[in-house]
Amino acid sequence: MTLDAEPNPHHSPNPALQGSQPRYVQLAQTLLNEIESGHYPVGSLLPTEFELCEQFGVSRSTAREAVKRLVQLGLVVRQPRVGTTVRARTATTGYRQSMADVSDLYQYATETTLVIESRATVQIDAEQAQSLEATAGETWLNLHGRRHARTPSGEPAAPICVTELWLHPAFRSIQGIQGALQGAVHAAIEQQFGELITEVEQEIRAVALNKADAEVLGAPAGSPGLWVRRRYRNRMGQLVELATSIHPADRFSYTTVLRREWGVGGKGDAA
């Protein structure tokens, strides 16, 4: 059975939804069309997953995946106990990352594609050793690449960042880290070497894109950017991987969820 969405001869499919058309892509395209036409205006709620299942005769996983694609396109936002709210009438090419714990970094890596463009073992100098918490003269694996958000059809979109990675000498022989990657580098380290990443330190700051990065990203030199550095540590607190990414400001947003445990704190807590 196919979805019962009636085609619109005056509306061509959004480029972000072209390609192979599994059911969740068909459903995403239908909802996208209805958002663009004003059927679901900005600020309104989309039907719930259960309602989408009833309306379109699809499984809940299909409905969930379709809505997930609309989130990635910047059209809707999902909020606990509120629902899925329309936030824009047209799709964006950026990526919105929501973080609650370390496992969300795996989702980030799965929903985006990292294209490795260079790989080299580097004997680090004193300045590099300081940022890598290492000793000058050690030989680390250095990787450079671009990360792309993926469209609902699975094709890479415009780059959302340039990325540099440093891997500890113990893992410099890692295999399969070349070309287009659709998984996390730290996950490959865990799989191949039996290491376990238990902590990720993250630092974020605003920057102006330099000429070289701006050219790679297709953005104006000097325009606003977001600099993100992550330190991946094992159970002993040792640095396993250092990743630094630079994003154009209009292609990446970041959401952190902070939860307070019930019963923690008291009258002295700050408002």
Side-chain angles (χ1 to χ4, degrees):
M1 182 179 67
T2 59
L3 294 178
D4 295 330
E6 185 174 339
N8 183 345
H10 304 293
H11 184 87
S12 59
N14 186 284
L17 292 169
Q18 289 180 344
S20 59
Q21 297 290 304
R23 284 191 177 185
Y24 70 84
V25 175
Q26 293 177 346
L27 177 53
Q29 181 66 64
T30 296
L31 294 173
L32 185 152
N33 292 350
E34 293 179 340
I35 290 171
E36 289 184 342
S37 70
H39 181 75
Y40 295 111
V42 173
S44 67
L45 293 175
L46 285 187
T48 65
E49 288 181 3
F50 180 76
E51 290 168 339
L52 290 174
C53 294
E54 284 194 327
Q55 290 181 25
F56 293 94
V58 297
S59 67
R60 188 166 184 180
S61 62
T62 295
R64 183 180 300 113
E65 193 67 24
V67 174
K68 178 180 174 182
R69 292 305 186 262
L70 297 183
V71 172
Q72 293 173 354
L73 291 173
L75 289 165
V76 302
V77 59
R78 288 184 289 196
Q79 299 171 284
R81 297 183 295 278
V82 174
T84 302
T85 305
V86 178
R87 66 194 298 256
R89 287 188 63 178
T90 56
T92 65
T93 58
Y95 181 84
R96 180 183 179 89
Q97 182 181 4
S98 179
M99 284 283 293
D101 54 42
V102 173
S103 64
D104 287 326
L105 290 174
Y106 290 90
Q107 181 179 356
Y108 169 63
T110 300
E111 293 178 349
T112 60
T113 299
L114 176 61
V115 180
I116 300 296
E117 298 173 319
S118 68
R119 171 176 175 152
T121 50
V122 177
Q123 188 174 28
I124 61 174
D125 58 26
E127 183 179 352
Q128 292 166 331
Q130 184 174 3
S131 64
L132 293 172
E133 303 170 12
T135 302
E138 293 180 1
T139 304
W140 286 58
L141 178 62
N142 182 232
L143 305 167
H144 287 264
R146 289 177 291 175
R147 189 172 289 280
H148 300 255
R150 289 208 300 278
T151 65
S153 61
E155 296 298 319
I160 59 172
C161 68
V162 291
T163 297
E164 180 182 27
L165 301 97
W166 290 91
L167 304 190
H168 188 278
F171 314 111
R172 69 189 189 196
S173 65
I174 189 169
Q175 298 179 345
I177 306 301
Q178 57 190 10
L181 307 179
Q182 296 186 359
V185 173
H186 59 277
I189 292 174
E190 291 180 324
Q191 182 179 15
Q192 294 183 33
F193 296 94
E195 186 58 273
L196 180 64
I197 303 299
T198 60
E199 180 179 289
V200 181
E201 296 176 7
Q202 185 163 252
E203 181 183 357
I204 301 175
R205 69 170 74 126
V207 296
L209 297 181
N210 63 38
K211 185 176 180 181
D213 290 337
E215 184 176 349
V216 171
L217 293 165
S223 60
L226 190 68
W227 180 94
V228 181
R229 171 165 286 177
R230 296 186 177 110
R231 298 176 185 273
Y232 296 81
R233 300 186 183 278
N234 62 14
R235 287 167 289 190
M236 303 294 292
Q238 300 165 328
L239 185 65
V240 171
E241 174 189 336
L242 177 70
T244 305
S245 300
I246 299 175
H247 305 258
D250 61 351
R251 298 185 204 168
F252 187 81
S253 63
Y254 188 84
T255 302
T256 301
V257 178
L258 303 176
R259 293 189 177 91
R260 182 176 180 181
E261 303 221 1
W262 181 256
V264 175
K267 294 181 180 179
D269 291 338

Coordinates of all heavy atoms in Angstrom, one line a residue, residues 137-215:
G137 N 57.0 15.2 20.4 CA 57.7 14.0 19.8 C 56.8 12.8 19.6 O 57.2 11.9 18.8
E138 N 55.7 12.8 20.3 CA 54.8 11.6 20.1 C 54.2 11.8 18.7 O 54.1 12.8 18.1 CB 53.6 11.7 21.1 CG 54.1 11.4 22.5 CD 52.9 11.4 23.5 OE1 51.8 11.6 23.1 OE2 53.2 11.2 24.7
T139 N 53.8 10.6 18.1 CA 53.2 10.6 16.7 C 51.7 10.3 16.8 O 51.3 9.2 17.1 CB 53.9 9.6 15.9 OG1 55.3 9.9 15.9 CG2 53.4 9.7 14.4
W140 N 50.9 11.3 16.5 CA 49.5 11.2 16.5 C 48.9 11.1 15.1 O 49.6 11.6 14.2 CB 48.8 12.4 17.2 CG 49.0 12.4 18.7 CD1 50.2 12.4 19.4 CD2 48.0 12.5 19.7 NE1 49.9 12.4 20.8 CE2 48.6 12.5 21.0 CE3 46.6 12.5 19.6 CZ2 47.9 12.5 22.2 CZ3 45.8 12.6 20.8 CH2 46.5 12.6 22.1
L141 N 47.7 10.6 15.0 CA 47.0 10.6 13.7 C 46.2 11.8 13.5 O 45.4 12.2 14.4 CB 46.1 9.3 13.6 CG 45.3 9.2 12.3 CD1 46.3 9.1 11.1 CD2 44.4 8.0 12.3
N142 N 46.4 12.6 12.5 CA 45.8 13.8 12.2 C 44.9 13.7 11.0 O 45.3 13.2 9.9 CB 46.8 14.9 12.0 CG 46.2 16.3 11.7 OD1 46.4 17.0 10.8 ND2 45.3 16.7 12.6
L143 N 43.6 14.0 11.1 CA 42.6 13.9 10.1 C 41.9 15.3 9.8 O 41.7 16.0 10.8 CB 41.5 12.9 10.4 CG 41.9 11.5 10.8 CD1 40.8 10.7 11.5 CD2 42.5 10.7 9.6
H144 N 41.7 15.6 8.6 CA 41.0 16.8 8.2 C 39.8 16.4 7.3 O 39.9 15.5 6.4 CB 41.9 17.8 7.4 CG 42.9 18.4 8.3 ND1 42.7 19.7 8.8 CD2 44.1 18.1 8.7 CE1 43.7 20.0 9.5 NE2 44.6 19.1 9.5
G145 N 38.7 17.1 7.4 CA 37.5 16.8 6.6 C 36.4 17.8 6.7 O 36.6 18.8 7.4
R146 N 35.3 17.5 6.0 CA 34.1 18.3 6.1 C 33.0 17.5 6.5 O 32.9 16.3 6.1 CB 33.8 18.9 4.7 CG 34.8 20.0 4.3 CD 34.5 20.5 2.9 NE 34.7 19.5 1.9 CZ 34.5 19.7 0.6 NH1 33.9 20.7 0.2 NH2 34.8 18.7 -0.2
R147 N 32.1 18.0 7.3 CA 30.9 17.3 7.7 C 29.7 17.9 7.0 O 29.5 19.1 6.9 CB 30.7 17.3 9.3 CG 29.6 16.4 9.7 CD 29.6 16.3 11.3 NE 30.7 15.6 11.8 CZ 30.8 14.3 11.9 NH1 29.8 13.5 11.4 NH2 31.8 13.7 12.4
H148 N 28.8 17.0 6.5 CA 27.6 17.4 5.8 C 26.4 16.9 6.5 O 26.4 15.7 7.0 CB 27.6 16.8 4.4 CG 28.8 17.2 3.5 ND1 28.6 18.2 2.5 CD2 30.1 16.9 3.5 CE1 29.8 18.4 2.0 NE2 30.7 17.6 2.5
A149 N 25.3 17.7 6.6 CA 24.0 17.2 7.0 C 23.5 16.3 5.8 O 23.9 16.5 4.7 CB 23.1 18.3 7.3
R150 N 22.7 15.3 6.1 CA 22.1 14.5 5.1 C 20.7 14.8 4.9 O 19.9 15.0 5.8 CB 22.3 13.0 5.4 CG 23.8 12.6 5.3 CD 23.9 11.1 4.9 NE 23.2 10.2 5.9 CZ 23.8 9.8 7.0 NH1 25.0 10.3 7.4 NH2 23.2 9.1 7.9
T151 N 20.3 14.8 3.6 CA 18.9 15.1 3.3 C 18.1 13.8 3.6 O 18.6 12.8 3.8 CB 18.7 15.4 1.8 OG1 19.1 14.3 1.0 CG2 19.6 16.6 1.4
P152 N 16.7 13.9 3.6 CA 15.9 12.8 3.9 C 16.1 11.6 2.9 O 15.9 10.5 3.2 CB 14.5 13.3 3.8 CG 14.6 14.7 4.2 CD 15.9 15.2 3.6
S153 N 16.6 11.9 1.7 CA 16.8 10.9 0.7 C 18.2 10.2 0.9 O 18.6 9.3 0.3 CB 16.8 11.4 -0.7 OG 17.7 12.4 -0.9
G154 N 19.0 10.8 1.9 CA 20.3 10.2 2.2 C 21.5 10.8 1.6 O 22.6 10.5 1.9
E155 N 21.2 11.8 0.7 CA 22.3 12.4 0.0 C 22.9 13.6 0.9 O 22.2 14.3 1.6 CB 21.8 13.0 -1.3 CG 21.4 12.0 -2.3 CD 22.5 11.0 -2.7 OE1 23.6 11.5 -2.9 OE2 22.2 9.8 -2.8
P156 N 24.2 13.8 0.8 CA 24.8 14.9 1.6 C 24.4 16.2 1.1 O 24.1 16.4 -0.1 CB 26.4 14.7 1.3 CG 26.5 13.3 0.8 CD 25.2 13.0 0.1
A157 N 24.2 17.2 2.0 CA 23.8 18.5 1.6 C 25.1 19.4 1.7 O 26.2 18.9 1.7 CB 22.8 19.0 2.6
A158 N 25.0 20.7 1.7 CA 26.1 21.6 1.8 C 26.9 21.3 3.1 O 26.3 20.9 4.1 CB 25.6 23.1 1.8
P159 N 28.2 21.5 3.2 CA 28.9 21.3 4.4 C 28.5 22.1 5.5 O 28.2 23.3 5.4 CB 30.4 21.6 4.0 CG 30.3 22.5 2.8 CD 29.0 22.1 2.1
I160 N 28.4 21.5 6.7 CA 28.0 22.3 7.9 C 29.2 22.7 8.7 O 29.1 23.5 9.6 CB 27.0 21.5 8.8 CG1 27.6 20.2 9.3 CG2 25.7 21.3 8.1 CD1 26.7 19.5 10.3
C161 N 30.4 22.1 8.4 CA 31.6 22.5 9.2 C 32.8 21.9 8.5 O 32.7 20.9 7.7 CB 31.5 22.0 10.7 SG 31.5 20.2 10.9
V162 N 33.9 22.4 8.9 CA 35.2 21.8 8.6 C 35.7 21.2 10.0 O 35.4 21.8 11.0 CB 36.3 22.8 8.1 CG1 35.9 23.2 6.7 CG2 36.4 24.0 9.0
T163 N 36.3 20.1 9.9 CA 36.7 19.4 11.1 C 38.1 18.9 11.1 O 38.6 18.4 10.0 CB 35.8 18.1 11.3 OG1 34.4 18.6 11.5 CG2 36.1 17.3 12.5
E164 N 38.8 19.0 12.2 CA 40.1 18.4 12.4 C 40.1 17.5 13.6 O 39.6 17.8 14.6 CB 41.2 19.5 12.6 CG 42.6 19.0 12.8 CD 43.7 20.0 13.1 OE1 43.3 21.1 13.7 OE2 44.8 19.8 12.8
L165 N 40.7 16.3 13.4 CA 40.7 15.3 14.5 C 42.1 14.9 14.7 O 42.9 14.7 13.8 CB 39.8 14.1 14.1 CG 38.4 14.3 13.8 CD1 38.1 14.4 12.3 CD2 37.5 13.2 14.4
W166 N 42.4 14.7 16.0 CA 43.7 14.1 16.5 C 43.4 12.8 17.2 O 42.6 12.8 18.2 CB 44.4 15.0 17.3 CG 45.0 16.2 16.6 CD1 44.4 17.5 16.5 CD2 46.3 16.4 16.0 NE1 45.2 18.3 15.8 CE2 46.3 17.7 15.5 CE3 47.3 15.5 15.9 CZ2 47.5 18.2 14.8 CZ3 48.5 16.0 15.2 CH2 48.5 17.3 14.7
L167 N 44.0 11.7 16.8 CA 43.8 10.4 17.5 C 45.1 10.0 18.2 O 46.2 10.1 17.6 CB 43.4 9.3 16.6 CG 42.1 9.6 15.7 CD1 41.7 8.3 15.0 CD2 41.0 10.1 16.6
H168 N 45.0 9.6 19.5 CA 46.1 9.2 20.3 C 46.9 8.1 19.5 O 46.4 7.3 18.8 CB 45.6 8.6 21.6 CG 46.7 8.3 22.6 ND1 47.4 7.1 22.5 CD2 47.1 9.0 23.7 CE1 48.3 7.1 23.6 NE2 48.1 8.2 24.2
P169 N 48.3 8.1 19.7 CA 49.2 7.2 19.0 C 48.7 5.7 19.1 O 48.9 4.9 18.2 CB 50.5 7.4 19.7 CG 50.5 8.8 20.1 CD 49.1 9.1 20.6
A170 N 48.1 5.3 20.3 CA 47.6 4.0 20.4 C 46.6 3.6 19.4 O 46.4 2.4 19.1 CB 47.0 3.8 21.8
F171 N 45.9 4.6 18.8 CA 44.8 4.3 17.8 C 45.1 4.8 16.4 O 44.2 4.8 15.6 CB 43.5 4.9 18.3 CG 43.3 4.7 19.8 CD1 43.4 5.7 20.7 CD2 43.1 3.4 20.3 CE1 43.2 5.5 22.1 CE2 42.9 3.1 21.6 CZ 42.9 4.2 22.5
R172 N 46.4 5.1 16.1 CA 46.7 5.7 14.8 C 46.6 4.7 13.7 O 46.6 5.1 12.5 CB 48.1 6.4 14.9 CG 49.2 5.4 15.0 CD 50.6 6.1 15.3 NE 51.7 5.2 15.2 CZ 52.9 5.4 15.6 NH1 53.1 6.6 16.3 NH2 53.9 4.6 15.5
S173 N 46.6 3.4 14.0 CA 46.4 2.4 12.9 C 45.0 2.1 12.6 O 44.7 1.1 11.9 CB 47.2 1.1 13.3 OG 46.6 0.5 14.5
I174 N 44.1 2.9 13.1 CA 42.6 2.7 12.9 C 42.3 2.5 11.5 O 42.9 3.1 10.6 CB 41.8 3.8 13.5 CG1 40.3 3.5 13.6 CG2 42.1 5.1 12.8 CD1 39.5 4.4 14.4
Q175 N 41.4 1.5 11.2 CA 41.1 1.2 9.8 C 39.7 1.7 9.4 O 38.9 1.9 10.3 CB 41.1 -0.3 9.6 CG 42.5 -0.9 9.8 CD 42.5 -2.5 9.7 OE1 41.4 -3.1 9.6 NE2 43.6 -3.1 9.6
G176 N 39.5 2.0 8.1 CA 38.2 2.4 7.6 C 37.9 3.8 7.8 O 36.8 4.3 7.4
I177 N 38.9 4.6 8.3 CA 38.6 6.1 8.4 C 39.2 6.8 7.2 O 40.3 7.3 7.2 CB 39.2 6.6 9.7 CG1 38.8 5.7 10.9 CG2 38.9 8.0 10.0 CD1 37.3 5.7 11.1
Q178 N 38.4 6.8 6.2 CA 38.7 7.5 4.9 C 37.5 7.7 4.1 O 36.5 7.0 4.3 CB 39.8 6.7 4.1 CG 39.3 5.3 3.8 CD 40.4 4.4 3.2 OE1 41.6 4.8 3.2 NE2 40.1 3.3 2.7
G179 N 37.5 8.7 3.2 CA 36.3 9.0 2.4 C 35.2 9.4 3.3 O 35.3 10.1 4.3
A180 N 34.0 9.0 2.8 CA 32.7 9.4 3.5 C 32.4 8.5 4.6 O 32.2 7.3 4.4 CB 31.6 9.5 2.5
L181 N 32.3 9.0 5.8 CA 32.0 8.2 7.0 C 30.6 8.5 7.5 O 30.2 9.7 7.6 CB 33.0 8.5 8.1 CG 34.5 8.3 7.8 CD1 35.3 8.7 9.0 CD2 34.8 6.9 7.3
Q182 N 29.8 7.5 7.8 CA 28.5 7.7 8.3 C 28.3 7.1 9.7 O 27.3 6.6 10.1 CB 27.4 7.1 7.4 CG 27.4 7.8 6.0 CD 26.3 7.3 5.1 OE1 25.5 6.4 5.5 NE2 26.2 7.9 3.9
G183 N 29.4 7.3 10.5 CA 29.4 6.8 11.9 C 30.4 7.6 12.6 O 31.2 8.4 12.0
A184 N 30.5 7.5 13.9 CA 31.4 8.3 14.8 C 32.8 7.7 14.8 O 32.9 6.4 14.9 CB 30.9 8.3 16.2
V185 N 33.8 8.5 14.7 CA 35.2 8.0 14.7 C 35.5 7.4 16.1 O 36.1 6.3 16.2 CB 36.2 9.2 14.4 CG1 37.6 8.7 14.7 CG2 36.0 9.7 13.0
H186 N 35.0 8.0 17.1 CA 35.2 7.4 18.5 C 34.5 6.1 18.6 O 35.0 5.2 19.4 CB 34.8 8.4 19.6 CG 33.4 8.8 19.6 ND1 32.9 9.8 18.8 CD2 32.3 8.3 20.3 CE1 31.6 9.9 19.0 NE2 31.2 9.0 19.9
A187 N 33.4 5.9 17.9 CA 32.8 4.5 17.9 C 33.6 3.5 17.2 O 33.7 2.3 17.7 CB 31.4 4.6 17.2
A188 N 34.3 3.9 16.2 CA 35.2 3.0 15.5 C 36.4 2.6 16.4 O 36.9 1.5 16.4 CB 35.7 3.6 14.2
I189 N 36.9 3.6 17.2 CA 38.0 3.3 18.1 C 37.5 2.3 19.1 O 38.2 1.3 19.4 CB 38.4 4.6 18.8 CG1 39.1 5.6 17.8 CG2 39.3 4.3 20.0 CD1 39.4 6.9 18.4
E190 N 36.3 2.5 19.6 CA 35.8 1.5 20.6 C 35.6 0.1 20.0 O 36.0 -0.9 20.7 CB 34.4 2.0 21.1 CG 34.5 3.3 22.0 CD 33.1 3.7 22.5 OE1 32.1 3.6 21.7 OE2 33.0 4.2 23.6
Q191 N 35.2 0.1 18.8 CA 34.9 -1.2 18.2 C 36.2 -2.0 17.8 O 36.4 -3.2 18.1 CB 34.1 -1.1 16.9 CG 33.8 -2.4 16.2 CD 33.0 -2.1 14.9 OE1 32.8 -1.0 14.4 NE2 32.4 -3.2 14.4
Q192 N 37.2 -1.2 17.3 CA 38.4 -1.9 16.8 C 39.5 -2.1 17.9 O 40.2 -3.1 17.9 CB 39.1 -1.0 15.7 CG 38.3 -0.9 14.5 CD 39.0 -0.1 13.4 OE1 40.2 -0.1 13.3 NE2 38.2 0.6 12.5
F193 N 39.4 -1.3 19.0 CA 40.5 -1.4 20.0 C 40.0 -1.8 21.4 O 40.7 -1.9 22.3 CB 41.3 -0.1 20.1 CG 42.0 0.3 18.9 CD1 41.4 1.1 17.9 CD2 43.3 -0.2 18.6 CE1 42.1 1.5 16.7 CE2 44.0 0.1 17.5 CZ 43.4 1.0 16.5
G194 N 38.6 -1.9 21.5 CA 38.1 -2.3 22.8 C 38.1 -1.1 23.8 O 37.9 -1.4 25.0
E195 N 38.4 0.1 23.4 CA 38.4 1.2 24.3 C 36.9 1.7 24.6 O 36.0 1.3 23.9 CB 39.1 2.4 23.6 CG 39.4 3.6 24.5 CD 40.1 3.3 25.8 OE1 39.5 2.9 26.7 OE2 41.4 3.4 25.8
L196 N 36.8 2.4 25.7 CA 35.4 2.9 26.0 C 35.5 4.4 26.3 O 36.2 4.8 27.2 CB 34.9 2.1 27.2 CG 33.5 2.5 27.7 CD1 32.4 2.2 26.6 CD2 33.1 1.8 29.0
I197 N 34.7 5.1 25.6 CA 34.6 6.6 25.8 C 33.6 6.8 26.9 O 32.4 6.4 26.7 CB 34.2 7.3 24.5 CG1 35.2 7.1 23.4 CG2 34.1 8.9 24.8 CD1 36.6 7.5 23.7
T198 N 34.0 7.4 28.0 CA 33.0 7.6 29.1 C 32.8 9.1 29.4 O 31.8 9.4 30.1 CB 33.6 7.0 30.4 OG1 34.8 7.5 30.7 CG2 33.7 5.5 30.2
E199 N 33.6 9.9 28.8 CA 33.4 11.4 29.1 C 33.8 12.2 27.8 O 34.8 11.9 27.2 CB 34.3 11.8 30.3 CG 34.1 13.2 30.6 CD 35.0 13.6 31.9 OE1 34.6 13.1 33.0 OE2 36.0 14.2 31.7
V200 N 33.0 13.2 27.6 CA 33.3 14.1 26.5 C 33.2 15.6 27.0 O 32.2 16.0 27.5 CB 32.3 14.0 25.3 CG1 32.7 15.0 24.2 CG2 32.3 12.6 24.8
E201 N 34.4 16.3 27.0 CA 34.4 17.7 27.4 C 34.2 18.5 26.1 O 34.8 18.3 25.1 CB 35.8 18.0 28.0 CG 36.1 17.3 29.3 CD 37.5 17.6 29.7 OE1 38.2 18.5 29.1 OE2 38.0 17.0 30.7
Q202 N 33.3 19.5 26.2 CA 33.0 20.3 25.1 C 33.2 21.8 25.4 O 32.8 22.3 26.4 CB 31.5 20.0 24.7 CG 31.1 20.8 23.4 CD 29.8 20.2 22.9 OE1 29.8 19.5 21.8 NE2 28.7 20.4 23.5
E203 N 33.9 22.5 24.4 CA 34.1 23.9 24.5 C 33.5 24.5 23.3 O 33.8 24.1 22.2 CB 35.6 24.2 24.7 CG 35.9 25.6 24.8 CD 37.4 25.9 24.8 OE1 38.2 24.9 24.8 OE2 37.8 27.1 24.9
I204 N 32.8 25.6 23.4 CA 32.1 26.3 22.3 C 32.4 27.8 22.4 O 32.4 28.4 23.5 CB 30.6 26.1 22.3 CG1 30.3 24.6 22.2 CG2 29.9 26.8 21.2 CD1 28.8 24.3 22.4
R205 N 32.8 28.4 21.3 CA 33.0 29.8 21.2 C 32.6 30.4 19.9 O 32.6 29.7 18.9 CB 34.4 30.2 21.6 CG 35.5 29.8 20.5 CD 36.8 30.4 20.9 NE 37.5 29.7 22.0 CZ 38.7 29.2 21.9 NH1 39.4 29.3 20.7 NH2 39.3 28.6 22.9
A206 N 32.3 31.7 19.9 CA 32.0 32.4 18.6 C 33.3 32.8 18.0 O 34.3 33.3 18.6 CB 31.1 33.6 18.9
V207 N 33.4 32.7 16.6 CA 34.6 33.1 15.9 C 34.1 33.8 14.6 O 32.9 33.7 14.2 CB 35.5 31.9 15.5 CG1 36.0 31.2 16.8 CG2 34.7 30.9 14.7
A208 N 35.1 34.4 13.9 CA 34.9 34.9 12.5 C 35.6 33.9 11.6 O 36.7 33.5 11.8 CB 35.4 36.3 12.4
L209 N 34.9 33.5 10.5 CA 35.5 32.5 9.6 C 36.7 33.1 8.9 O 36.6 34.2 8.3 CB 34.5 32.1 8.6 CG 33.2 31.3 9.1 CD1 32.3 30.9 7.9 CD2 33.6 30.1 9.9
N210 N 37.8 32.4 8.9 CA 39.0 32.8 8.2 C 38.8 32.5 6.7 O 37.9 31.8 6.3 CB 40.3 32.2 8.7 CG 40.3 30.7 8.6 OD1 39.9 30.1 7.6 ND2 40.9 30.1 9.6
K211 N 39.7 33.1 5.9 CA 39.5 33.0 4.4 C 39.5 31.5 4.0 O 38.7 31.1 3.1 CB 40.6 33.8 3.7 CG 40.4 33.8 2.2 CD 41.5 34.7 1.6 CE 41.3 34.7 0.1 NZ 42.4 35.6 -0.6
A212 N 40.4 30.7 4.5 CA 40.5 29.3 4.1 C 39.3 28.5 4.4 O 38.7 27.8 3.5 CB 41.8 28.7 4.7
D213 N 38.8 28.6 5.7 CA 37.6 27.8 6.1 C 36.4 28.3 5.3 O 35.5 27.6 4.9 CB 37.4 28.0 7.6 CG 38.5 27.2 8.4 OD1 39.1 26.3 7.8 OD2 38.7 27.6 9.5
A214 N 36.3 29.7 5.2 CA 35.1 30.2 4.5 C 35.1 29.7 3.0 O 34.0 29.4 2.5 CB 35.2 31.8 4.5
E215 N 36.2 29.6 2.4 CA 36.2 29.1 1.0 C 35.7 27.7 0.9 O 34.9 27.3 0.0 CB 37.6 29.3 0.4 CG 37.7 28.9 -1.1 CD 39.1 29.1 -1.6 OE1 39.9 29.8 -1.0 OE2 39.4 28.6 -2.8

